[in-house]
């Protein structure tokens, strides 16, 4: 419980940072923190949506309008209260002016329903360079065919008349998706941050626990619909799950709260699960995210993990994408990382590799193909290209790694922890190698101890040399000096 409370404080701090960096503008109208309110009236006739969209509390500055995909018949609407004094001819901007309100009307096509369900992504217009603070949505369903509507905002009420059914929603933030299902699921819990629709008798303590969790996160209101169908739909502010997945609610909402706090894109949910796992110090979420968390803890040194956790506690000035998370892991471990970007791109990298960014140099020659990787703070080098620079030949079979030069032979067992040097067996406390992407890597200290290689670390490069060569050169210099004397 203490750990969870600590995580809540971290995410709460991140959310406060995001909130105040995007809060309502002061007298100077900070163009990077513009806000507005909106009231949206939706008329649905079974074939299309006719939307009347009121933008209010506008600052006297220019705004760009983003219209929903597929919208048509866009027009500015005047009334006794509102005039179109701030609309340009192309209806692409709200131009600078004194009026604080503008109203538009547009039409959206209805998507095809599948098994009594449909969803409209980004259903409403929005102002590109500002954030909605308060949103009210009225839905008038003229089909009177029943069903339920979900916006993610709190459902204030519904009313059924002979000619139409009416739904009212209101809350903080925007509506990113609109959802309808034919099945009407009863209201089971209504809280400040969380509304649950569920046929089963819901434990109120469970609902209050979820609500308290989201309140601690300063999360926007979220809606969960548990239904008897088999659809599984997730948007920024709501999820619709089969009743059998009720036990996943807390995990889903926790993950979505992390996404909100760190600005993680919806399609990169695995990163949100991974961040949650790091903050809780235990795996949460889907098996792929758990596997990635396992690789992270297996690969990073303890100090690296601490640095990564500290970086995540800091306010994030940009969305935490997979690429950005790679950068944070790389910064914490002083390495180059692309694992999480590859994972989100649909690839399945076998290993989390922390690449050492320095070049490896022998004399004045850069060793091509010798890029070290880090594991638990130790450097590992690809054995074959590294030892080739010192005239060793490396081969392997199912049981052993063989290393040969003109006057030395090594055989490393792949079964037990030992190697044979010049027919003499040497036991090892642990194997010095790893097999990664079909190539054997040896740990730096083992290369020093066994092959007598010296590694000098500089700011931009790692200089590697042979201790035997250094000794032989010193002996030759001494002999030359003695001969001269």
């Amino acid at each position: 419980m203490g750990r969870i409370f600590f995580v809540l404080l971290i995410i709460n701090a991140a959310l406060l940072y995001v909130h105040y960096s995007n809060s309502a503008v002061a007298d100077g109208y900070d163009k990077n923190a513009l806000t507005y309110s909106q009231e949206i009236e939706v008329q649905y006739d079974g074939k299309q949506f006719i939307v009347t969209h009121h933008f209010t509390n506008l600052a006297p500055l220019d705004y760009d309008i983003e219209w929903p995909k597929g919208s048509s018949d866009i027009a500015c609407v005047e009334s006794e209260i509102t005039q179109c004094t701030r609309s340009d001819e192309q209806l692409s901007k709200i131009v600078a002016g004194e009026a604080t309100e503008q109203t538009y009307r547009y039409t959206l096509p209805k998507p095809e329903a599948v098994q009594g369900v449909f969803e409209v992504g980004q259903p409403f217009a929005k102002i590109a360079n500002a954030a909605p603070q308060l949103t009210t949505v009225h839905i008038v369903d003229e089909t009177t065919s029943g069903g339920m509507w979900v916006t993610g905002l709190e459902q204030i009420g519904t009313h059924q008349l002979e000619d139409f059914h009416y739904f009212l929603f209101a809350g903080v933030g925007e509506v990113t998706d609109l959802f309808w299902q034919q099945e009407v699921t009863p209201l089971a819990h209504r809280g400040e941050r969380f509304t649950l629709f569920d046929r089963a008798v819901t434990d109120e303590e469970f609902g209050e626990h979820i609500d308290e969790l989201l309140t601690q996160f300063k999360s926007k209101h979220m809606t969960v619909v548990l239904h008897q169908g088999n659809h599984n739909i997730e948007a920024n502010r709501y999820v619709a799950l089969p009743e059998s997945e009720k036990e996943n609610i807390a995990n889903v909402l926790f993950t979505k709260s992390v996404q909100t706090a760190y600005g993680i894109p919806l399609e990169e949910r695995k990163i949100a699960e991974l961040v949650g796992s790091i903050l809780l110090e235990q795996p949460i979420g889907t098996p792929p995210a758990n596997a990635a968390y396992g690789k992270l803890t297996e690969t990073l040194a303890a100090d690296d993990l601490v640095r990564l956790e500290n970086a995540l506690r800091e306010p994030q000035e940009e969305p935490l994408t997979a690429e950005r998370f790679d950068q944070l892991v790389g910064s914490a471990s002083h390495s180059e990382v692309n694992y999480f970007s590859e994972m989100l791109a649909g690839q399945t990298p076998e290993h989390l590799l922390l690449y050492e960014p320095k070049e490896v140099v022998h004399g004045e020659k850069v060793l091509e193909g010798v890029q070290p990787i880090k594991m638990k703070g130790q450097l590992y080098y690809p054995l074959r290209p590294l030892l080739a620079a010192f005239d060793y030949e490396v081969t392997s079979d199912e049981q052993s790694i063989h290393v040969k030069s003109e006057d030395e032979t090594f055989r490393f067992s792949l079964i037990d922890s030992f190697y044979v040097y010049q027919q003499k067996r040497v036991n090892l406390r642990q194997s010095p190698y790893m097999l990664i992407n079909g190539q054997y890597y040896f740990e730096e200290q083992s290369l020093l101890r066994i092959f007598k290689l010296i590694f000098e670390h500089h700011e931009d490069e790692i200089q590697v040399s042979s201790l035997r060569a250094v000794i032989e050169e010193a002996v030759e210099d001494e002999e030359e000096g003695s001969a001269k004397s």
Side-chain angles (χ1 to χ4, degrees), residues 2 13 42 53 97 106 110 168 176 211 269 275 306 324 331 355 362 374 391 417 429 445 466:
V42 181
H53 200 138
Y106 49 92
K110 168 194 171 292
L168 174 62
T176 58
D211 219 333
R269 174 175 173 169
V275 171
V306 170
R324 173 67 181 148
S331 177
Y355 293 103
H362 175 43
K374 291 182 179 179
D391 299 323
S417 295
R429 285 181 294 181
Q445 292 301 313
S466 170

Side-chain angles (χ1 to χ4, degrees), residues 90-103:
Q90 292 75 31
L91 298 178
S92 61
K93 290 180 177 293
I94 297 176
V95 299
E98 295 301 319
T100 60
E101 300 182 14
Q102 289 288 273
T103 297

Side-chain angles (χ1 to χ4, degrees), residues 372-409:
I373 61 173
K374 291 182 179 179
M375 179 69 68
K376 288 295 185 182
Q378 302 298 320
L379 279 180
Y380 286 74
Y381 296 77
L383 189 65
R384 190 188 305 272
L386 175 66
L387 292 188
F390 298 93
D391 299 323
Y392 286 98
E393 179 185 358
V394 179
T395 60
S396 63
D397 53 37
E398 294 182 355
Q399 295 184 329
S400 304
I401 302 171
H402 303 274
V403 181
K404 298 180 180 179
S405 68
E406 283 189 4
D407 53 4
E408 289 184 299
T409 62

Side-chain angles (χ1 to χ4, degrees), residues 26-57:
D27 293 339
Y29 294 111
D30 181 359
K31 291 184 178 181
N32 295 319
L34 294 175
T35 62
Y36 62 96
S37 299
Q38 58 185 350
E39 186 168 3
I40 305 169
E41 303 170 14
V42 181
Q43 181 183 348
Y44 173 62
D45 62 8
K47 297 180 180 179
Q48 63 183 5
F49 302 92
I50 300 175
V51 181
T52 303
H53 200 138
H54 308 275
F55 293 107
T56 62
N57 297 331

Side-chain angles (χ1 to χ4, degrees), residues 443-455 465 467-468:
E443 191 265 330
E444 184 177 278
Q445 292 301 313
S446 297
L447 291 168
L448 168 61
R449 186 172 61 255
I450 298 171
F451 296 101
K452 305 301 186 282
L453 298 184
I454 301 173
F455 297 87
S465 57
L467 180 60
R468 290 190 179 93

Side-chain angles (χ1 to χ4, degrees), residues 277-292:
S277 298
I278 293 169
L279 296 177
L280 285 176
E281 297 182 12
Q282 63 184 38
I284 66 167
T286 58
N290 291 346

Side-chain angles (χ1 to χ4, degrees), residues 49 68 178 197 205 227 234 271 299 369 388 412 421:
F49 302 92
L178 183 63
F197 292 90
E205 184 176 347
H227 53 77
E234 180 176 339
I271 298 300
T299 304
F412 294 87
Y421 173 64

Side-chain angles (χ1 to χ4, degrees), residues 296-435:
L296 194 68
T297 55
E298 291 168 4
T299 304
L300 265 66
D303 290 346
D304 296 341
L305 279 172
V306 170
R307 281 192 289 270
L308 178 59
E309 292 170 9
N310 290 339
L312 290 173
R313 294 189 188 111
E314 295 294 325
Q316 304 297 311
E317 297 183 359
E318 56 185 289
L320 187 58
T321 62
E323 182 179 359
R324 173 67 181 148
F325 189 75
D326 275 332
Q327 293 172 359
L328 289 181
V329 174
S331 177
S333 58
H334 307 292
S335 59
E336 295 177 354
V337 183
N338 54 28
Y339 175 87
F340 302 99
S341 300
E342 292 178 355
M343 181 181 73
L344 265 296
Q347 303 176 34
T348 54
E350 182 179 356
H351 300 279
L352 166 58
L353 301 181
L354 309 178
Y355 293 103
E356 171 61 54
K358 299 177 182 179
E359 292 181 328
V360 179
V361 179
H362 175 43
E364 297 182 355
K365 180 182 178 182
V366 176
L367 301 184
E368 299 295 334
V370 182
Q371 184 174 26
I373 61 173
K374 291 182 179 179
M375 179 69 68
K376 288 295 185 182
Q378 302 298 320
L379 279 180
Y380 286 74
Y381 296 77
L383 189 65
R384 190 188 305 272
L386 175 66
L387 292 188
F390 298 93
D391 299 323
Y392 286 98
E393 179 185 358
V394 179
T395 60
S396 63
D397 53 37
E398 294 182 355
Q399 295 184 329
S400 304
I401 302 171
H402 303 274
V403 181
K404 298 180 180 179
S405 68
E406 283 189 4
D407 53 4
E408 289 184 299
T409 62
F410 299 83
R411 182 175 68 84
F412 294 87
S413 172
L414 298 177
I415 300 173
D416 297 310
S417 295
F418 73 90
Y419 71 94
V420 177
Y421 173 64
Q422 308 288 64
Q423 306 301 318
K424 180 180 179 181
R425 174 173 171 143
V426 180
N427 291 323
L428 298 167
R429 285 181 294 181
Q430 61 183 25
S431 297
Y433 58 81
M434 296 187 301
L435 179 62

